[in-house]
Amino acid sequence: LHQLYYDPNIENKNLAQKWLMQAQVSPQAWHFSWLLLHMDKVPEIQYFGASALHIKISRYWNDIPADQYESLKSQLFTHITRFASGSKIVLTRLCVALASLALSMMPEAWPCAVADMVRMFQAEDSNVDGRARCLALLELLTVLPEEFQTSRLPQYRKGQVRSVLAQECGSVFPLLEQLLQQQDSPGFIKQKVLKCFSSWVQLEIPLMDCENLIQAAFTSLQDPELFDTAVEAVVNAISQPDAQRYVNTLLKLIPPVLGLQEQLRQAVQSGDMETSHGICRIAVALGENHSRALLDQVEHWQSFLALVNMIMFCTGIPGHYPVNETTSSLTLTFWYTLQDDILSFEPDKQAVYQQVYRPVYFQLVDVLLHKAQFPSDEEYGFWSSDEKEQFRIYRVDISDTLMYVYEMLGAELLSSLYDKLGRLLTNTEQPSTWQHTEALLYGFQSIAETIDVNYSDVVPGLIGLIPRISISNVQLADTVMFTIGALSEWLADHPVMINNVLPLVLQALGNPELSISSVSTLKKICRECKYDLPPYAANIVAVSQEVLMKQIHKTSQCMWLMQALGFLLSALQVEEILKNLHSLITPYIQQLEKLADETPNPSNKLAIIHILGLLSNLFTTLDISHHDDDHENNEVKKLPVQQGPNPVVVVLQQVFQLIQKVLSKWLNDAQVVESVCAIFEKSVKTLLDDFAPMVPQLCEMLGQMYSTIPQASAIDLTRQLVHIFAHEPAHFPPIKALFLLVTSVTLTLFQQGPRDHPDIVDSFMQLLAQALKRKPDLFLCSNLDVKAVFQCGVLSLKFPEAPTVKASCGFFTELLPRCGEITPVGQVVHENGKVLLQAVLEGVGGQASRSLMDHFAEILFALNKHCFSYLSIWIKEAMQQDGFPSARVTPEQKENFSQQILSRERVNKRRVKEMVKEFTLLCRGLHGTEYTADY
């Protein structure tokens, strides 16, 4: 222990800790724990002794003979009395140990445990002063319910012990009431009493039994020293789930909560954040947990409405969150709950409540928009970045609440926001602050982002108002941008209004501070309104080009901007697309040509990856065949199908040699190779069949790349090509040749040792699975070594990386069903299937992560379905090996598993998965432990 606490050497400390942890659970701990508790030892050492006792009692209860219960109990009582005026941390540990003993003994071996504890400590003991005895008893009574919550009692015992404890509160509560009401009880005793009450209410004790103590806790709220503890006690008592059954008691609690309003107002005036926070927690606990029960008491509607108004005061508490107040955020979920409860009543009752509460919710919208306002620029300048981030999250919470409230208030809410904004912007007498305008727009945006406002009659007016806003600062400009973005679907249905807002967006693109909002808004407009943008295309492209050349935006915004341009160009005629592409891409191609001649170094690598990224993002969305348009899109707007080569293919063919040149210098660099592959992968995904003219050159390039330096991204692109062109006899020969080349290069890699390339193995297994799914006759090729491929799959099953193992399982799940139709596959499986089964059983036996068991079960299921006669022989032979697949399973358990797997239930995939889960737990020695309860 001295080594653990005082040795400066960290390795010695760790060694000591390891040894001590073993000592704590050893049989000798029963002996040395008491010795370490001698009064001449220092508290750290006594603490270890008390902890060891607690561990022995709580975890090794079954080791204690029943005839020793009583002596253990009396020894613990003696020590607790002894430490009542000693070290606090040791006293607490001893109390926890006695609590654990009581929980294990009650009710049979120790029927009235709690009453006994109270009696023992109330007995006069001349050596220990009464106050110390009282504190020790309160500590013991406080830790008892806490120990119950964390105890490892089995489920049936938990229920039994909980009800015994709930009955025993009759021995505890009168004592607590008496101590709180005594005039001469010192503050620290009252504080302990409130903590003790807090601990007991969590045992689901009937609320009416807690009434007197709750009232006493309300009284304690007037005492600053007891305030925090009293708040916890009241909140815990009100919040327990069982409390809603006691409606009369809940109704009695409303007046004392309302009685706190004066104290709340004074706290707000004097800037006492702790007090206002605590009182708000109490009001919200009563309102949020019991709104349904209290709404049901129709004759008490006025007192509940008064509580709702008190919570409204807390929502609108003066000051800016989180700098001058932290209370308002506590109230937001209450408004959700109240609305849900009102809307869950049957129509007649709902109508009555709507009459009362609609005005309240309109007031709430005003309060929330006031709270969402930014502080003055000067004040905001003093906020830390952490405070600004908390404020941003708070505004998102307000935005979510407004969106929710829309369900209650409907279109009238949009009209009221529009009227306020209109008055604000047209009032020349009193110029408004930008903060006020921004908050109203923010409210609008919150609703328009998620709710379909196409039917609202106020949106045209709003679009008309937006250009009138004098934008004086970044926050307001951002909100204007996001509001326009939220209305992009509406603009698609009302294209005449585009010109009202597009100039604002293009102007904002040039401001680096508005980067995220302006680029994301332009992208939304280009995506939703592309068929109406041709008249503006030249202007949009020109502005975008200018900001890209000036490098105003960060990388990710440049990529979004390219995606926006891809959407925009998709709707133009082919000649127009090519003309725009030429002017847009040429500067980058020239830059890339220059970079391709330079010697590779870190800075030109970043520039190359940036340019390749811009091209991939442009090609991700440039789709003239309109694969991604929604079916409901107005058919009228569809353009005629284009003739001639696809513009993307034209561009790719022009830059192909340059890309090869870049590659030749950067083949060693996985990131550059990945960026090159991404261009083609994105293009293939978007163009689908239109990509065909590129297939031969791309396959040739990929083959050269992969033969020189194998990389996962090249295999992933090959997989994409197999997927799309598998059924195209005209385009498939080069893909077939590439597939065979990739396979043979990867097999060589396996011979050299694949452990350093889990990503390549993962991608290769996915490629094989895709080939089997889309083009199984690839496995008929004379120059494909099916046996070697099979063996690689088996090796991959033993990799430590879960994604790789998952991909290998996917390969076998596709391969095994082909045993009958593809002779080479059938032959290899019949000759080598036992090795596969062996690998699967090793994984189930504990070699592989438990999260992969369903994937292993899929292989067993497929073996069963397609090679049953072989499987029954293989599984017998495998299970006969000693200690296989785990030394923890008995021959009977292995036999039982084999029979289950071969039984009639083998046709039910879900059952096979359950069998494998069950067996893997046995193999790992985890079966029946709490560790697997949620597995």
Side-chain angles (χ1 to χ4, degrees), residues 39 72 115 133 175 183 244 283 298 374 455 485 514 554 602 625 750 794 799 877 907 920:
M39 296 315 272
L72 187 54
R133 266 206 327 274
L175 168 72
Q183 290 306 311
Q244 57 205 27
V298 183
F374 278 89
Y455 309 102
L514 304 180
K554 290 195 176 130
S625 55
F750 263 89
V794 173
F799 268 51
E877 291 175 358
V907 296
T920 197

mmCIF file of all heavy atoms in Angstrom, residues 39 72 115 133 175 183 244 283 298 374 455 485 514 554 602 625 750 794 799 877 907 920:
data_model
loop_
_atom_site.group_PDB
_atom_site.id
_atom_site.type_symbol
_atom_site.label_atom_id
_atom_site.label_comp_id
_atom_site.label_asym_id
_atom_site.label_seq_id
_atom_site.Cartn_x
_atom_site.Cartn_y
_atom_site.Cartn_z
ATOM 1 N N MET A 39 -6.977 1.269 14.538
ATOM 2 C CA MET A 39 -7.041 2.732 14.672
ATOM 3 C C MET A 39 -5.661 3.383 14.539
ATOM 4 O O MET A 39 -5.558 4.583 14.343
ATOM 5 C CB MET A 39 -7.679 3.130 16.011
ATOM 6 C CG MET A 39 -9.141 2.706 16.148
ATOM 7 S SD MET A 39 -10.160 3.031 14.707
ATOM 8 C CE MET A 39 -10.724 4.698 15.009
ATOM 9 N N LEU A 72 -20.139 -11.360 11.566
ATOM 10 C CA LEU A 72 -19.704 -10.366 10.568
ATOM 11 C C LEU A 72 -20.494 -9.068 10.753
ATOM 12 O O LEU A 72 -19.941 -7.969 10.740
ATOM 13 C CB LEU A 72 -19.944 -10.954 9.167
ATOM 14 C CG LEU A 72 -19.429 -10.169 7.966
ATOM 15 C CD1 LEU A 72 -17.943 -9.845 8.096
ATOM 16 C CD2 LEU A 72 -19.667 -10.951 6.672
ATOM 17 N N ALA A 115 -34.817 -1.314 10.545
ATOM 18 C CA ALA A 115 -35.258 -0.951 11.908
ATOM 19 C C ALA A 115 -34.147 -1.274 12.915
ATOM 20 O O ALA A 115 -33.879 -0.490 13.849
ATOM 21 C CB ALA A 115 -36.534 -1.723 12.249
ATOM 22 N N ARG A 133 -22.858 9.735 16.189
ATOM 23 C CA ARG A 133 -23.654 8.500 15.979
ATOM 24 C C ARG A 133 -24.764 8.770 14.982
ATOM 25 O O ARG A 133 -25.031 7.982 14.092
ATOM 26 C CB ARG A 133 -24.270 8.044 17.310
ATOM 27 C CG ARG A 133 -23.446 7.023 18.039
ATOM 28 C CD ARG A 133 -24.283 6.133 18.952
ATOM 29 N NE ARG A 133 -25.435 6.760 19.554
ATOM 30 C CZ ARG A 133 -25.423 7.463 20.688
ATOM 31 N NH1 ARG A 133 -24.293 7.617 21.335
ATOM 32 N NH2 ARG A 133 -26.522 7.993 21.163
ATOM 33 N N LEU A 175 -37.910 9.339 11.486
ATOM 34 C CA LEU A 175 -36.652 9.832 12.057
ATOM 35 C C LEU A 175 -36.174 11.065 11.270
ATOM 36 O O LEU A 175 -35.766 12.084 11.842
ATOM 37 C CB LEU A 175 -35.609 8.712 11.987
ATOM 38 C CG LEU A 175 -34.164 9.121 12.274
ATOM 39 C CD1 LEU A 175 -33.978 9.411 13.759
ATOM 40 C CD2 LEU A 175 -33.182 8.036 11.845
ATOM 41 N N GLN A 183 -35.588 22.273 16.167
ATOM 42 C CA GLN A 183 -35.004 23.616 16.047
ATOM 43 C C GLN A 183 -33.478 23.561 16.163
ATOM 44 O O GLN A 183 -32.768 24.306 15.496
ATOM 45 C CB GLN A 183 -35.566 24.535 17.161
ATOM 46 C CG GLN A 183 -37.039 24.880 16.975
ATOM 47 C CD GLN A 183 -37.338 25.490 15.606
ATOM 48 O OE1 GLN A 183 -36.671 26.409 15.177
ATOM 49 N NE2 GLN A 183 -38.337 24.957 14.904
ATOM 50 N N GLN A 244 -46.861 9.464 -10.749
ATOM 51 C CA GLN A 244 -48.088 9.947 -11.417
ATOM 52 C C GLN A 244 -49.347 9.243 -10.932
ATOM 53 O O GLN A 244 -50.445 9.686 -11.224
ATOM 54 C CB GLN A 244 -47.954 9.817 -12.932
ATOM 55 C CG GLN A 244 -47.659 8.421 -13.409
ATOM 56 C CD GLN A 244 -46.956 8.467 -14.771
ATOM 57 O OE1 GLN A 244 -46.292 9.428 -15.079
ATOM 58 N NE2 GLN A 244 -47.100 7.414 -15.543
ATOM 59 N N ALA A 283 -39.899 23.356 -10.910
ATOM 60 C CA ALA A 283 -41.129 23.621 -11.689
ATOM 61 C C ALA A 283 -41.190 22.707 -12.910
ATOM 62 O O ALA A 283 -42.224 22.112 -13.233
ATOM 63 C CB ALA A 283 -41.166 25.088 -12.121
ATOM 64 N N VAL A 298 -59.458 18.445 -14.850
ATOM 65 C CA VAL A 298 -60.006 19.621 -15.539
ATOM 66 C C VAL A 298 -60.397 20.725 -14.560
ATOM 67 O O VAL A 298 -60.186 21.913 -14.826
ATOM 68 C CB VAL A 298 -61.216 19.204 -16.410
ATOM 69 C CG1 VAL A 298 -61.751 20.394 -17.178
ATOM 70 C CG2 VAL A 298 -60.798 18.112 -17.384
ATOM 71 N N PHE A 374 -29.050 37.383 -31.067
ATOM 72 C CA PHE A 374 -27.640 37.585 -30.739
ATOM 73 C C PHE A 374 -27.508 38.789 -29.815
ATOM 74 O O PHE A 374 -28.320 39.721 -29.884
ATOM 75 C CB PHE A 374 -26.837 37.868 -32.019
ATOM 76 C CG PHE A 374 -26.472 36.629 -32.772
ATOM 77 C CD1 PHE A 374 -27.330 36.096 -33.737
ATOM 78 C CD2 PHE A 374 -25.264 35.976 -32.524
ATOM 79 C CE1 PHE A 374 -26.987 34.952 -34.435
ATOM 80 C CE2 PHE A 374 -24.920 34.832 -33.217
ATOM 81 C CZ PHE A 374 -25.776 34.312 -34.179
ATOM 82 N N TYR A 455 -47.425 25.296 -49.736
ATOM 83 C CA TYR A 455 -48.834 25.726 -49.765
ATOM 84 C C TYR A 455 -49.037 27.007 -48.990
ATOM 85 O O TYR A 455 -50.141 27.476 -48.828
ATOM 86 C CB TYR A 455 -49.723 24.610 -49.190
ATOM 87 C CG TYR A 455 -49.423 23.303 -49.866
ATOM 88 C CD1 TYR A 455 -48.642 22.330 -49.239
ATOM 89 C CD2 TYR A 455 -49.864 23.058 -51.168
ATOM 90 C CE1 TYR A 455 -48.327 21.149 -49.890
ATOM 91 C CE2 TYR A 455 -49.547 21.884 -51.821
ATOM 92 C CZ TYR A 455 -48.778 20.926 -51.188
ATOM 93 O OH TYR A 455 -48.452 19.770 -51.841
ATOM 94 N N GLY A 485 -31.909 29.103 -48.860
ATOM 95 C CA GLY A 485 -31.657 27.670 -49.114
ATOM 96 C C GLY A 485 -32.842 26.818 -48.698
ATOM 97 O O GLY A 485 -33.245 25.879 -49.407
ATOM 98 N N LEU A 514 -18.962 34.128 -45.360
ATOM 99 C CA LEU A 514 -20.267 33.507 -45.635
ATOM 100 C C LEU A 514 -20.094 32.211 -46.424
ATOM 101 O O LEU A 514 -21.023 31.732 -47.067
ATOM 102 C CB LEU A 514 -21.155 34.468 -46.433
ATOM 103 C CG LEU A 514 -21.381 35.838 -45.799
ATOM 104 C CD1 LEU A 514 -22.267 36.698 -46.684
ATOM 105 C CD2 LEU A 514 -22.005 35.685 -44.415
ATOM 106 N N LYS A 554 -12.598 27.346 -48.365
ATOM 107 C CA LYS A 554 -11.819 26.180 -47.926
ATOM 108 C C LYS A 554 -12.131 24.989 -48.844
ATOM 109 O O LYS A 554 -13.135 24.978 -49.555
ATOM 110 C CB LYS A 554 -12.191 25.818 -46.484
ATOM 111 C CG LYS A 554 -11.704 26.823 -45.476
ATOM 112 C CD LYS A 554 -11.775 26.225 -44.074
ATOM 113 C CE LYS A 554 -11.188 27.212 -43.067
ATOM 114 N NZ LYS A 554 -12.052 27.432 -41.929
ATOM 115 N N PRO A 602 5.551 17.280 -50.694
ATOM 116 C CA PRO A 602 4.266 17.374 -49.973
ATOM 117 C C PRO A 602 3.356 18.501 -50.445
ATOM 118 O O PRO A 602 2.145 18.339 -50.489
ATOM 119 C CB PRO A 602 4.698 17.608 -48.524
ATOM 120 C CG PRO A 602 6.075 17.037 -48.444
ATOM 121 C CD PRO A 602 6.705 17.237 -49.794
ATOM 122 N N SER A 625 -28.316 12.394 -68.264
ATOM 123 C CA SER A 625 -29.409 11.430 -68.504
ATOM 124 C C SER A 625 -30.434 11.508 -67.376
ATOM 125 O O SER A 625 -31.451 10.829 -67.395
ATOM 126 C CB SER A 625 -28.846 10.022 -68.596
ATOM 127 O OG SER A 625 -28.116 9.778 -67.419
ATOM 128 N N PHE A 750 -0.554 -12.589 -51.700
ATOM 129 C CA PHE A 750 -0.856 -13.528 -50.611
ATOM 130 C C PHE A 750 0.329 -14.458 -50.343
ATOM 131 O O PHE A 750 0.608 -14.815 -49.214
ATOM 132 C CB PHE A 750 -2.108 -14.362 -50.943
ATOM 133 C CG PHE A 750 -3.354 -13.802 -50.326
ATOM 134 C CD1 PHE A 750 -4.135 -12.860 -50.990
ATOM 135 C CD2 PHE A 750 -3.758 -14.195 -49.057
ATOM 136 C CE1 PHE A 750 -5.279 -12.340 -50.415
ATOM 137 C CE2 PHE A 750 -4.898 -13.683 -48.462
ATOM 138 C CZ PHE A 750 -5.664 -12.741 -49.148
ATOM 139 N N VAL A 794 -9.924 -18.365 -47.035
ATOM 140 C CA VAL A 794 -9.807 -19.019 -45.715
ATOM 141 C C VAL A 794 -8.792 -18.264 -44.854
ATOM 142 O O VAL A 794 -9.027 -18.008 -43.666
ATOM 143 C CB VAL A 794 -9.396 -20.504 -45.880
ATOM 144 C CG1 VAL A 794 -9.098 -21.124 -44.523
ATOM 145 C CG2 VAL A 794 -10.495 -21.278 -46.595
ATOM 146 N N PHE A 799 -7.952 -12.981 -40.214
ATOM 147 C CA PHE A 799 -7.359 -11.662 -39.983
ATOM 148 C C PHE A 799 -7.933 -11.061 -38.701
ATOM 149 O O PHE A 799 -9.094 -11.304 -38.364
ATOM 150 C CB PHE A 799 -7.677 -10.730 -41.171
ATOM 151 C CG PHE A 799 -6.617 -10.737 -42.240
ATOM 152 C CD1 PHE A 799 -6.167 -11.943 -42.770
ATOM 153 C CD2 PHE A 799 -6.063 -9.561 -42.718
ATOM 154 C CE1 PHE A 799 -5.185 -11.960 -43.756
ATOM 155 C CE2 PHE A 799 -5.089 -9.566 -43.703
ATOM 156 C CZ PHE A 799 -4.648 -10.770 -44.221
ATOM 157 N N GLU A 877 -15.442 -34.871 -37.827
ATOM 158 C CA GLU A 877 -13.966 -34.990 -37.769
ATOM 159 C C GLU A 877 -13.367 -33.795 -37.029
ATOM 160 O O GLU A 877 -12.476 -33.957 -36.197
ATOM 161 C CB GLU A 877 -13.393 -35.065 -39.197
ATOM 162 C CG GLU A 877 -13.749 -36.369 -39.907
ATOM 163 C CD GLU A 877 -13.274 -36.388 -41.365
ATOM 164 O OE1 GLU A 877 -12.698 -35.372 -41.819
ATOM 165 O OE2 GLU A 877 -13.499 -37.413 -42.041
ATOM 166 N N VAL A 907 -32.537 -25.205 -41.797
ATOM 167 C CA VAL A 907 -33.081 -24.405 -42.906
ATOM 168 C C VAL A 907 -33.549 -23.024 -42.437
ATOM 169 O O VAL A 907 -33.919 -22.190 -43.231
ATOM 170 C CB VAL A 907 -34.263 -25.128 -43.596
ATOM 171 C CG1 VAL A 907 -33.771 -26.415 -44.232
ATOM 172 C CG2 VAL A 907 -35.379 -25.403 -42.598
ATOM 173 N N THR A 920 -20.747 -19.840 -29.200
ATOM 174 C CA THR A 920 -19.558 -18.986 -29.042
ATOM 175 C C THR A 920 -19.437 -18.528 -27.583
ATOM 176 O O THR A 920 -18.341 -18.395 -27.046
ATOM 177 C CB THR A 920 -19.571 -17.784 -30.020
ATOM 178 O OG1 THR A 920 -18.248 -17.260 -30.090
ATOM 179 C CG2 THR A 920 -20.489 -16.664 -29.611
#
